[in-house]
Amino acid sequence: MPKYAYYPGCAVHASARDYAVSAQLVCQALGIELQEIKDWTCCGASSAHPTSHLLGLSLAARNLRLAEEMGLTLTSPCPACTSRLAGARHELRDPAALAEVNDILGKDFGNTVGVEHLLQVLSKGDRALPVKRPLGGLKVAPYYGCLIVRPQKVLGFDHEENPQSLDRLLSAVGAEVVPWGFKTECCGAGMPMARKDMVHKLSGRILAAARSAGAEAVAVACPLCHSNLDMHQGDMKPNPKMPVLYFTQLMGLALGFSAKELLLDTHFTDALALLRGKGLA
Amino acid sequence: MARIGVFICHCGSNIAGVVDIPKVMAAAKELPLVTYVDDPMYTCSETGQAAVREAIVKHGLTRVVVSACSPRMHEVTFRKALAQAGLNPYLLEMANIREQCAWVHGDDKAAATEKAIQLIAMAVAKVARHEPLTPKSVGVTKRALVIGGGIAGIQAALDLGNANIEVVLVEREPTIGGRMAQLDKTFPTLDCSSCILTPRMVEVSQHPKIRLLTYSEVKSVSGFVGNFEVEILQRARKVDMDKCTSCGICWQKCPEKVSSEFDSGMGKRSAIYIPFAQAVPSKPVIDLTHCRYIKFQEWQAAPEATRGKKPMECRICERLCPPQAVDWGQQDQVLKEKFGAIIVATGFQTFDYSVYGEYGGGKLPDVITGLQLERMLSASGPTGGVVQRPSDGAHPKTVVFLSCVGSRDDKVGRPYCSNVCCMYMAKQSILLKEHDPQVQSYVFYIDTRATGKGYEEFSRRAQEEAGTVYLRGRVSKIYQEGKKLVVMGEDSLMGRPVEIAADLVVLATGVEPAAGATELAQKLNIGYDTYGFLMEAHPKLRPVETQTDGIFVAGMAVGPKDVPAAVAHGSAAAVKAVGILSQEKLTTDPGTALVDAAKCVSCFLCEEVCPFNAVERETLRDKRVVARINESLCKGCGLCVSCCRPGAINLKGSTNQQLMAELMALKL
């Protein structure tokens, strides 16, 4: 049974509970054990790394060290956490930087731990998926966001302009994946507090592109993408009314979990009507 | 006993300013076998050479050491002087006391003097063991092979033919003309590509000295300069070229239509076809993968259980051909030909842009390549010169060009500049405006590289007369929005993002070596770089030669080039080939490797390490198979000598014994 050191991150721990729950269910069904890292702390994102680069690096290294002690590869459902952790790992290949961080941590960290986003874990190899309820041609636009596949030299996962892993995963559970050009466009990221208009514009464009590509729903793999795409639709003109689902929720449906179990009733933009129409909820 | 003369050159003050010449002379006089020492002011001058010649005769010298500059500089000069005085020219040794002594040790004259003495002692010890060597001469087959019938190959073939040399021009496609034939107009003069190219193509076909082999490929190459033996595979056209009158009925009536390679997929051709109207030769070929009769034959041959529905037998071309030229029995043929020199001009292909996911990865129908637009712009092209969107056939009004697609981009393994794209984008934007004044073109560029004659003016003309808008920056994404393609990019001069709703997007795809070029290079034993472009012997001073004597390279096969450069390159290669083919005999440097058959243990490690394929296997009378060096191929690099375990190989003029004597003379 594959085991991973699970690093949920702050968003998945709090606002994206639907992501956390569905990710756990899907991993259980697929026989992947997620061992949550005890005493994990901030990955160094948001305010940490602009405050001090060394602070951001050390926070990430602290969590990496905990995973290293567990002797497991670290996985996180959050692309920002993955990016911070993998970025730190990349930067700490420099022995001088590693020595500096070790000095702060007061422990011997070897920087030997692997870091993978949950999408990378789930799309690995050609794992047979025990599909109980194929998604019956639900037309989905796979949205990867900006960080899952970038930068390539740090993550080495999929393709940075036209990624395919989520496409394949969704096809495998019976969704009809629509080809579109906005897979890795910016959703507005952390700007909803400062520049709501910008987020409305950028996220609005992504949703409109998904609609014009023929999608009935957008699949995401990032708590921040989800909140930007899902939460603000009411303020966009016109209202895109496009259900935005975590890819783990879609997988969970196909693997036989109920919409209720997967917390599909917690989105701002209603997804249940669409799913009911398809006989999936 | 050898009588050695040592000439210690002053080289003005170049050497004498640093090295104490009288001291060196005194030391040289004491060296074993030295019978004469002199110190000319300039040994290479006529007076200096005369002094060498006279001393040889007067003092009966049998070996000479010239202690002066690098052998690269004047070894040949002094070898001639020896020969003029009646001595074998290879009984010379140079001691380099200028570049490797006086010039680099000007700050320590005493040490420089001591080093000069040692260098001379080494040269004396070595030259004492020199043997007279005689260059070998081999005959020359006065015929040339040109591989590739694009503009560079055509130019080379014509120049050779006009120099009265018999030429075989081999072209893989059914016609010559290459990429240039696909172009509508050429920059910066906008003269019609066909109008300047097709007369050359016809000239090739009518030239009494040129034999044209189209639909043919080089299968194998052996031999060496002056004496290459080449096997050429001539693929079956299934059409008797002697009977065919090029009437055109077959390709008009053939019911099987497939995407045309010549039109870059923008038009159709039939299964029996000539690639374009002015093809040379204008005899059709039958495309065996698409011909219905061939499919029928395959169906017939297949076991009954597995074969599907019976296809139509067709044979329409055969039935309609007035002179009965269709010949199903025609088979591939292998021709064996001899040549004295080979010119490789295999050209290029355009970069496959489908790796660019952000540009649609080949999935957006209205994103096309420069070559595809070129075919649409051509009056004889698939659309008769009308530019149309592939998706709906509409005439585009807003056209966006993207430069450097597959050029100057490390990400796709193509960090080099393709040389022609800046100019062809300018050209195409001018032509679009000429075709329809309402068209507005935009060019996203990194830099505009307009370095040829008249190029900068031409590029300005695109901007000023055709009103093409140049935006400095790369495009990050192209996506379909309704009927429009939205091009998202950056204007890095204004420092802001740009979005253009375009009807048509043209990718200026870069160039890369033609498919199969590296395989051919391996057959020819010539080098190529990491991208597959063929390597010149020297990028500046020997731009058309290769490391293999007698094989020359020309055109885009060597690297990105525009038409004028490719033509010049073709001519240059032809002249270099003439340099060989105008000789009756070729003399080869005798400084080659020699195997002592008695010592050879037949491990053939030498065969593996030889970069020139010069090691052959020879069966002795006692049935032992030993290595033998083909002197015509050997370059005297010495790799085999150093790898030979029993020490059976020696390099003539630098034998192990000679080198050892040289080392032993060194006093440390």
Side-chain angles (χ1 to χ4, degrees):
Chain A
M1 184 160 164
K3 261 193 226 174
Y4 286 87
Y6 181 60
Y7 180 90
C10 58
V12 174
H13 204 59
S15 62
R17 212 163 63 84
D18 38 359
Y19 192 12
V21 167
S22 59
Q24 286 285 3
L25 288 175
V26 166
C27 286
Q28 270 167 29
L30 297 179
I32 298 169
E33 190 183 331
L34 300 180
Q35 282 188 4
E36 187 161 333
I37 298 173
K38 285 196 185 95
D39 193 29
W40 60 266
T41 47
C42 172
C43 66
S46 308
S47 38
H49 69 108
T51 308
S52 153
H53 183 71
L54 190 58
L55 173 63
L57 200 59
S58 304
L59 280 169
R62 184 186 176 278
N63 293 299
L64 288 172
R65 186 181 63 76
L66 292 173
E68 192 176 73
E69 275 176 4
M70 294 165 76
L72 297 173
T73 294
L74 183 151
T75 186
S76 170
C78 172
C81 298
T82 311
S83 171
R84 287 303 310 162
L85 297 168
R89 190 175 169 273
H90 188 76
E91 201 176 328
L92 293 175
R93 292 183 312 171
D94 173 16
L98 184 61
E100 193 179 7
V101 164
N102 261 323
D103 198 32
I104 293 168
L105 296 181
K107 304 251 178 156
D108 264 352
F109 170 51
N111 197 26
T112 57
V113 64
V115 179
E116 290 172 6
H117 185 265
L118 186 65
L119 175 61
Q120 188 173 0
V121 171
L122 292 178
S123 60
K124 211 166 262 188
D126 22 270
R127 178 181 287 121
L129 300 171
V131 175
K132 296 199 177 115
R133 183 165 53 184
L135 297 185
L138 180 71
K139 290 183 182 150
V140 183
Y143 177 66
Y144 294 75
C146 58
L147 281 177
I148 288 187
V149 290
R150 291 189 183 119
Q152 269 294 307
K153 68 174 176 199
V154 171
L155 299 168
F157 168 55
D158 215 331
H159 186 281
E160 56 193 328
E161 295 297 348
N162 189 14
Q164 294 293 327
S165 50
L166 185 52
D167 293 48
R168 279 197 295 269
L169 211 46
L170 294 173
S171 301
V173 295
E176 188 185 318
V177 174
V178 301
W180 68 318
F182 279 71
K183 287 179 179 181
T184 58
E185 281 310 296
C186 178
C187 66
M191 297 303 282
M193 306 297 168
R195 287 287 304 274
K196 203 169 257 190
D197 59 319
M198 182 95 83
V199 174
H200 293 168
K201 187 178 159 193
L202 293 171
S203 280
R205 188 156 74 170
I206 291 166
L207 294 169
R211 178 73 71 202
S212 84
E216 297 163 306
V218 172
V220 298
C222 169
L224 189 54
C225 296
H226 189 270
S227 97
N228 282 346
L229 292 173
D230 178 52
M231 201 194 295
H232 300 273
Q233 291 194 20
D235 297 331
M236 295 175 188
K237 288 187 184 85
N239 185 340
K241 294 192 175 160
M242 171 67 78
V244 181
L245 315 174
Y246 286 108
F247 79 106
T248 44
Q249 291 179 310
L250 284 166
M251 287 181 76
L253 277 178
L255 297 177
F257 297 105
S258 72
K260 188 107 183 135
E261 285 173 291
L262 294 162
L263 304 185
L264 275 160
D265 53 351
T266 62
H267 296 327
F268 282 84
T269 305
D270 178 55
L272 289 173
L274 170 71
L275 298 174
R276 280 196 197 102
K278 297 272 176 185
L280 296 168
Chain B
M1 286 287 274
R3 295 172 60 82
I4 302 174
V6 179
F7 297 85
I8 301 159
C9 187
H10 287 231
C11 197
S13 62
N14 270 305
I15 295 168
V18 176
V19 173
D20 180 349
I21 301 279
K23 198 174 173 190
V24 175
M25 284 184 75
K29 275 188 186 132
E30 301 303 316
L31 293 167
L33 303 173
V34 171
T35 51
Y36 180 76
V37 178
D38 191 11
D39 63 330
M41 180 60 82
Y42 290 104
T43 320
C44 59
S45 69
E46 181 41 39
T47 354
Q49 287 189 50
V52 174
R53 290 197 301 264
E54 280 160 24
I56 290 171
V57 176
K58 196 171 158 193
H59 300 279
L61 301 179
T62 60
R63 303 281 194 278
V64 172
V65 169
V66 177
S67 163
C69 49
S70 155
R72 284 224 152 220
M73 190 81 190
H74 278 311
E75 189 171 49
V76 174
T77 314
F78 296 119
R79 276 183 181 164
K80 279 184 191 151
L82 262 66
Q84 283 165 354
L87 213 54
N88 182 289
Y90 294 92
L91 298 174
L92 167 82
E93 187 66 23
M94 301 274 303
N96 180 0
I97 61 165
R98 191 178 74 161
E99 289 90 333
Q100 290 174 346
C101 185
W103 279 3
V104 288
H105 302 303
D107 54 346
D108 191 345
K109 293 184 182 181
T113 304
E114 183 52 34
K115 182 172 176 182
I117 292 168
Q118 298 242 19
L119 288 170
I120 292 166
M122 291 167 75
V124 167
K126 184 177 179 228
V127 83
R129 288 159 179 82
H130 272 204
E131 301 276 344
L133 300 176
T134 321
K136 262 188 77 172
S137 73
V138 288
V140 177
T141 307
K142 300 205 166 202
R143 301 175 80 225
L145 169 66
V146 178
I147 307 170
I151 186 59
I154 288 174
Q155 183 68 33
L158 287 173
D159 286 346
L160 286 165
N162 293 340
N164 216 24
I165 286 163
E166 221 178 285
V167 183
V168 173
L169 175 58
V170 171
E171 168 57 53
R172 180 164 64 178
E173 300 297 323
T175 174
I176 55 169
R179 298 278 85 86
M180 189 179 168
Q182 291 175 277
L183 308 182
D184 175 35
K185 301 270 165 55
T186 54
F187 57 77
T189 44
L190 290 187
D191 38 8
C192 138
S193 191
S194 301
C195 315
I196 57 177
L197 176 67
T198 48
R200 293 286 176 99
M201 292 161 58
V202 174
E203 205 182 328
V204 165
S205 71
Q206 293 175 347
H207 203 292
K209 285 284 184 181
I210 300 175
R211 184 167 155 220
L212 182 57
L213 294 176
T214 51
Y215 217 42
S216 303
E217 282 175 59
V218 169
K219 199 167 160 245
S220 74
V221 181
S222 60
F224 47 88
V225 57
N227 297 278
F228 291 107
E229 283 169 32
V230 181
E231 285 188 319
I232 300 165
L233 172 73
Q234 193 170 26
R235 305 214 314 270
R237 287 179 111 89
K238 304 285 182 194
V239 170
D240 186 328
M241 287 178 71
D242 295 327
K243 285 186 188 164
C244 172
T245 60
S246 318
C247 68
I249 288 177
C250 59
W251 65 77
Q252 286 157 20
K253 298 295 182 187
C254 173
E256 186 66 29
K257 305 289 181 208
V258 296
S259 172
S260 158
E261 299 85 355
F262 184 80
D263 286 329
S264 241
M266 301 305 280
K268 298 269 188 208
R269 64 162 170 83
S270 39
I272 182 167
Y273 71 107
I274 58 168
F276 59 105
Q278 300 94 331
V280 170
S282 65
K283 316 281 182 182
V285 293
I286 294 177
D287 168 2
L288 301 183
T289 52
H290 291 105
C291 170
R292 290 189 183 182
Y293 179 50
I294 300 291
K295 282 187 185 151
F296 173 78
Q297 284 178 322
E298 281 165 4
W299 177 86
Q300 270 187 322
E304 221 157 301
T306 59
R307 66 190 190 189
K309 210 177 122 217
K310 181 182 174 184
M312 193 176 88
E313 195 175 336
C314 192
R315 295 173 85 163
I316 289 172
C317 52
E318 181 189 356
R319 275 188 273 128
L320 295 179
C321 178
Q324 296 292 300
V326 174
D327 177 5
W328 300 107
Q330 206 180 68
Q331 295 297 322
D332 291 356
Q333 273 188 310
V334 176
L335 312 173
K336 288 184 182 165
E337 301 277 342
K338 290 191 170 186
F339 301 101
I342 299 174
I343 294 176
V344 192
T346 44
F348 73 100
Q349 63 190 22
T350 51
F351 182 81
D352 175 10
Y353 70 90
S354 64
V355 297
Y356 282 93
E358 61 271 44
Y359 301 158
K363 300 269 165 60
L364 300 171
D366 296 330
V367 176
I368 64 170
T369 68
L371 204 51
Q372 288 176 322
L373 178 60
E374 200 75 37
R375 292 312 302 146
M376 286 200 284
L377 286 166
S378 170
S380 59
T383 55
V386 180
V387 179
Q388 296 171 345
R389 286 153 49 102
S391 63
D392 57 4
H395 177 61
K397 296 287 183 194
T398 306
V399 181
V400 176
F401 289 87
L402 270 58
S403 76
C404 303
V405 178
S407 305
R408 302 181 68 185
D409 192 350
D410 254 333
K411 220 175 60 183
V412 297
R414 292 282 179 268
Y416 57 84
C417 168
S418 288
N419 203 307
V420 290
C421 321
C422 286
M423 295 313 295
Y424 81 61
M425 288 190 299
K427 175 190 76 178
Q428 291 179 339
S429 75
I430 291 172
L431 293 175
L432 285 171
K433 197 77 170 178
E434 279 181 5
H435 280 228
D436 175 3
Q438 286 185 312
V439 170
Q440 175 62 54
S441 298
Y442 298 85
V443 172
F444 279 95
Y445 70 101
I446 302 181
D447 303 293
T448 295
R449 297 192 163 170
T451 55
K453 190 174 173 183
Y455 287 9
E456 178 61 25
E457 299 91 311
F458 186 71
S459 174
R460 299 299 303 182
R461 183 173 154 196
Q463 296 166 54
E464 286 161 10
E465 287 178 30
T468 305
V469 174
Y470 274 65
L471 297 158
R472 183 173 171 276
R474 282 200 88 117
V475 167
S476 61
K477 182 169 295 294
I478 302 168
Y479 65 93
Q480 190 86 44
E481 197 168 79
K483 289 195 160 192
K484 293 275 188 183
L485 288 167
V486 179
V487 180
M488 292 164 70
E490 182 195 10
D491 183 341
S492 64
L493 295 180
M494 299 294 280
R496 65 182 183 201
V498 188
E499 279 187 28
I500 299 170
D503 299 314
L504 186 70
V505 174
V506 182
L507 305 179
T509 44
V511 302
E512 59 185 18
T518 52
E519 288 82 354
L520 179 64
Q522 283 167 4
K523 286 177 193 163
L524 292 161
N525 196 32
I526 58 174
Y528 49 88
D529 65 18
T530 49
Y531 317 113
F533 287 118
L534 305 177
M535 292 283 273
E536 325 79 325
H538 189 282
K540 293 165 189 76
L541 301 178
R542 301 177 70 199
V544 294
E545 293 97 321
T546 63
Q547 293 296 354
T548 303
D549 286 346
I551 301 184
F552 305 96
V553 286
M556 279 267 208
V558 185
K561 250 173 223 68
D562 53 21
V563 172
V567 170
H569 220 212
S571 282
V575 166
K576 289 290 173 185
V578 168
I580 287 169
L581 301 173
S582 58
Q583 318 255 352
E584 292 307 319
K585 298 261 182 196
L586 294 175
T587 54
T588 56
D589 188 332
T592 53
L594 185 68
V595 181
D596 180 348
K599 285 189 187 167
C600 175
V601 296
S602 318
C603 68
F604 295 105
L605 206 56
C606 49
E607 198 175 38
E608 278 177 47
V609 300
C610 179
F612 310 103
N613 290 338
V615 179
E616 294 171 352
R617 295 186 180 213
E618 179 186 24
T619 309
L620 301 178
R621 270 183 295 183
D622 62 1
K623 305 282 186 248
R624 274 199 314 129
V625 182
V626 296
R628 183 178 60 188
I629 308 294
N630 182 331
E631 291 181 356
S632 306
L633 290 174
C634 178
K635 298 268 181 154
C637 70
L639 279 178
C640 57
V641 180
S642 51
C643 82
C644 182
R645 289 181 275 212
I649 312 182
N650 254 317
L651 201 59
K652 287 185 277 179
S654 297
T655 61
N656 291 334
Q657 198 199 8
Q658 287 165 352
L659 296 178
M660 189 53 85
E662 214 177 357
L663 281 176
M664 298 305 282
L666 188 61
K667 305 264 186 309
L668 294 170

